[in-house]
Amino acid sequence: MQLSLLFLFIGVCSAHYNPNVEAGRTSIVHLFEWRWEDIAAECERYLGPNGFGGVQISPASENLIMTNRPWEERYQPVSYKICTRSGNEEEFSDMVNRCNNVGVHIYVDVVMNHMTGYGAGVGTSSTCGSYFNSGAREFKGVPYSFLDFNEYKCKSSSGGIDHYSDAYQVRDCQLLGLLDLALEKDYVRCKIADYLNHLISIGVAGFRLDASKHMWPGDIKAVISRLDNLNTTWFPNDTRPFIYQEVIDLGGGTISASEYFGNGRVTEFKYGAKLGNVIRKWNGEKMAYLKNWGEDWAFMPSDRALVFIDNHDNQRGHGAGGASILTFFDSQLYKMGVGFMLAHPYGFTRVMSSYQWPRYFVNGKDTNNWMGPPSNANGSIKAVTINADTTCGNDWVCEHRWRQIKNMIIFRNVVDGQSFANWWDNGSNQIAFGRGNKGFIIFNNDDWNMDIKLNTGLPAGLYCDVISGQKEGTDCTGKQITVSIEGFARFQISNTAEDPFVAIHVNAKL
Ligand code: QV4
Ligand code: CA
């Protein structure tokens, strides 16, 4: 065991950790369930100009059409045709082209652990009309037959994952009744690699590997090793695709995130769960404890981590993290959480962009958490419209367009590479820190006002707070902060402010 792990680390191709964002860009946004044509427009009108590095898109491969069109149907593949409610291959290519041309790269969510559920049935009720027979394990659009599934390898009594403590069941049995692909087979590996290479040829920059915990690290490696370098129209020669694997490891489980480091980065689910507790002040947590945020909190190494406050699962009670997870529903705390994440140097950062749905709790469970994206009567996804005040219409939440979040995306770009510096806390929930001599952020999450003079590390001058407003031309629409020759500034933050935090950086100097 020890030896084989060591072998895994030595054989690493280091390039899969590099997010392949353009120089000066440092984060990606998940545009959950958006149509390709809306993403293309968003790249040009908003993401490019505001320094976003890329977009994680919903799965692009053909999926099962489920009654009432829940979002989760996107995680039930029927073939690898680029053909979903988000759009067809032509629209997909157009999106990739237009986004790449404005410096925003595309990261595809790839479902390669399984096909649709065993109960899906027979027919062509799929987003491109490909035939499937889930009982017979037949998928004509790939094609896959019963020989390509793990039926005979799975040793659980139900055929599903009966015990998460058994690493073999987790990898070889059905996750939630989804037909588990035999990834040890060369044929299956090739079909998946062909799909990913097709996406690479169109110009994508990398992949989120869905349900990675349910695939053997070596099988994932075998697929990755078949992948081409990125398209040289937009990327330097010999650029490897960025890989980040979805593994939920909150500690103490049988399967650890570190088993996957040999393939690329891994999602750090402890990040959002723990930060949620701190910002909600649950379990005796306080922001002062964030002084050593990062590996000291039992997180994976920063250069292996993909971090986020919430994702499409745990914002609606699926997946992991539980009630502490901050989402747009708790907008005030959420903005502080995202602000802290984007200011802090740990990990590669992803922000979430959601749609509204009417939560309806029965016995503490949201019975509407299945609801798919805003859609028309014929089932097509509604366009993302843009209001005069730059927010989104048609029930698209567009957290990434909230001024505080967009400005912190820019903050992170400005302070990129600068060290964590000038930490201060009051022993409770008032904290501040800087990034070298480029940026400084301060939070008041206590129940009383704050008025304090602190060393910011910034050059002397007048700065515009990018949380309460922003620099527009030579004006500042928010608070103004004066930094003295010695680098000190006075901060007054009311605990009842709409956003009880302040952030300044050298590109918002007046
Ligand atoms: C139902 C029954 C089963 C039965 C099966 C028979 O509940 O007992 O065996 O029918 O067909 C849906 C339903 C689920 C249904 C299943 C198969 O919720 O009830 O089983 O489909 O039809 C998303 C949703 C899932 C959904 C799945 C496929 O979250 O609810 O399942 O899509 O539509 C673990 C994993 C982690 C995973 C996380 C949610 O380790 O990898 O759970 N996260 C990823 C994605 C997530 C996605 C999947 C994995 C699966 O982020 O969005 O699940 O691709 O922690
Ligand atoms: Ca599996």
Side-chain angles (χ1 to χ4, degrees):
M1 179 64 187
Q2 292 284 16
L3 242 165
S4 69
L5 261 178
L6 197 71
F7 185 71
L8 212 73
F9 283 117
I10 293 166
V12 166
C13 174
S14 67
H16 297 117
Y17 310 115
N18 185 338
N20 297 331
V21 285
E22 262 198 359
R25 299 181 188 251
T26 55
S27 306
I28 61 174
V29 54
H30 181 194
L31 297 180
F32 178 50
E33 285 278 13
W34 282 42
R35 303 183 310 167
W36 309 148
E37 62 174 291
D38 290 324
I39 295 176
E42 188 70 352
C43 285
E44 293 171 341
R45 71 191 164 202
Y46 199 86
L47 304 176
N50 286 301
F52 287 78
V55 182
Q56 178 185 311
I57 62 170
S58 282
S61 54
E62 178 177 18
N63 61 263
L64 179 72
I65 293 179
M66 291 173 71
T67 316
N68 297 326
R69 310 306 303 266
W71 62 270
E72 62 194 41
E73 69 172 43
R74 300 288 290 264
Y75 292 90
Q76 302 209 25
V78 163
S79 82
Y80 300 128
K81 292 175 189 156
I82 302 176
C83 187
T84 62
R85 277 210 286 178
S86 287
N88 59 29
E89 180 160 343
E90 203 183 313
E91 291 158 329
F92 183 91
S93 291
D94 183 57
M95 165 185 74
V96 173
N97 268 272
R98 289 164 62 191
C99 290
N100 279 340
N101 286 342
V102 293
V104 182
H105 297 155
I106 298 293
Y107 302 84
V108 185
D109 195 350
V110 174
V111 186
M112 60 187 227
N113 171 64
H114 53 262
M115 299 301 278
T116 187
Y118 68 76
V122 190
T124 54
S125 179
S126 46
T127 50
C128 224
S130 294
Y131 175 87
F132 60 89
N133 181 336
S134 65
R137 278 55 170 157
E138 205 185 340
F139 294 88
K140 282 242 163 78
V142 181
Y144 284 138
S145 75
F146 70 97
L147 295 167
D148 302 316
F149 292 87
N150 272 334
E151 240 63 273
Y152 305 101
K153 215 182 165 195
C154 168
K155 297 284 189 305
S156 76
S157 52
S158 72
I161 303 168
D162 297 341
H163 301 289
Y164 265 78
S165 56
D166 180 342
Y168 290 88
Q169 286 192 17
V170 174
R171 270 65 173 260
D172 297 338
C173 298
Q174 292 171 357
L175 164 66
L176 299 160
L178 299 157
L179 296 175
D180 206 57
L181 282 165
L183 282 164
E184 65 187 14
K185 285 189 64 179
D186 217 49
Y187 176 78
V188 175
R189 292 173 176 180
C190 279
K191 284 293 165 192
I192 294 165
D194 285 351
Y195 168 52
L196 300 190
N197 282 331
H198 182 46
L199 298 170
I200 287 173
S201 73
I202 294 172
V204 310
F207 306 105
R208 168 195 187 263
L209 302 187
D210 180 70
S212 290
K213 182 190 264 190
H214 306 280
M215 302 185 276
W216 293 99
D219 288 343
I220 295 178
K221 190 169 208 66
V223 171
I224 293 175
S225 67
R226 286 172 163 79
L227 299 184
D228 298 334
N229 292 329
L230 298 188
N231 187 321
T232 53
T233 309
W234 296 287
F235 302 93
N237 284 335
D238 304 324
T239 306
R240 298 301 292 155
F242 177 42
I243 300 290
Y244 56 107
Q245 301 157 94
E246 189 228 10
V247 177
I248 300 176
D249 172 7
L250 294 172
T254 308
I255 293 169
S256 126
S258 62
E259 293 174 44
Y260 293 83
F261 292 167
N263 296 330
R265 292 202 187 223
V266 182
T267 50
E268 179 50 277
F269 274 84
K270 291 172 194 158
Y271 194 101
K274 292 194 177 181
L275 193 60
N277 272 318
V278 173
I279 291 183
R280 291 181 190 278
K281 300 186 259 187
W282 286 356
N283 308 335
E285 293 285 0
K286 39 181 141 170
M287 287 188 87
Y289 297 156
L290 296 172
K291 185 175 185 176
N292 66 348
W293 183 248
E295 287 90 348
D296 286 358
W297 283 61
F299 297 167
M300 64 184 74
S302 175
D303 60 2
R304 293 295 176 269
L306 185 292
V307 298
F308 46 95
I309 298 301
D310 61 330
N311 79 347
H312 71 280
D313 285 324
N314 62 19
Q315 71 169 195
R316 48 174 48 73
H318 282 237
S324 78
I325 297 298
L326 297 168
T327 72
F328 68 87
F329 288 111
D330 312 289
S331 61
Q332 194 200 40
L333 299 180
Y334 188 65
K335 285 179 277 184
M336 282 200 275
V338 176
F340 178 85
M341 173 181 82
L342 293 173
H344 195 279
Y346 181 88
F348 183 71
T349 45
R350 177 182 68 195
V351 299
M352 181 68 201
S353 189
S354 320
Y355 56 81
Q356 277 287 352
W357 76 95
R359 289 199 295 189
Y360 186 74
F361 288 99
V362 178
N363 298 327
K365 192 186 173 300
D366 172 17
T367 56
N368 280 345
N369 68 358
W370 60 269
M371 287 186 171
S375 35
N376 302 300
N378 67 1
S380 60
I381 298 180
K382 278 192 184 166
V384 178
T385 53
I386 306 299
N387 302 319
D389 65 358
T390 78
T391 60
C392 297
N394 273 346
D395 283 329
W396 297 98
V397 182
C398 291
E399 297 93 309
H400 69 286
R401 280 177 167 257
W402 294 1
R403 182 190 65 241
Q404 302 84 345
I405 293 178
K406 179 258 297 182
N407 284 341
M408 287 306 299
I409 291 275
I410 295 170
F411 180 107
R412 189 175 192 78
N413 292 344
V414 172
V415 305
D416 189 26
Q418 299 287 313
S419 58
F420 182 73
N422 294 307
W423 172 270
W424 169 86
D425 68 71
N426 70 341
S428 183
N429 292 291
Q430 299 180 350
I431 64 161
F433 62 94
R435 296 290 305 276
N437 57 0
K438 299 271 194 203
F440 193 76
I441 191 164
I442 172 163
F443 295 84
N444 178 12
N445 198 27
D446 271 326
D447 301 328
W448 58 89
N449 292 339
M450 110 192 263
D451 184 353
I452 186 130
K453 264 189 105 178
L454 292 174
N455 183 11
T456 65
L458 298 189
L462 187 62
Y463 290 82
C464 182
D465 169 29
V466 299
I467 303 303
S468 57
Q470 59 195 5
K471 189 180 163 197
E472 281 173 11
T474 52
D475 296 339
C476 174
T477 60
K479 287 185 186 173
Q480 298 189 14
I481 305 288
T482 306
V483 174
S484 71
I485 305 284
E486 297 79 31
F488 279 78
R490 180 178 176 187
F491 297 93
Q492 294 169 286
I493 305 179
S494 160
N495 62 306
T496 59
E498 184 188 333
D499 297 304
F501 65 115
V502 166
I504 54 178
H505 60 73
V506 292
N507 284 12
K509 203 169 167 213
L510 296 163

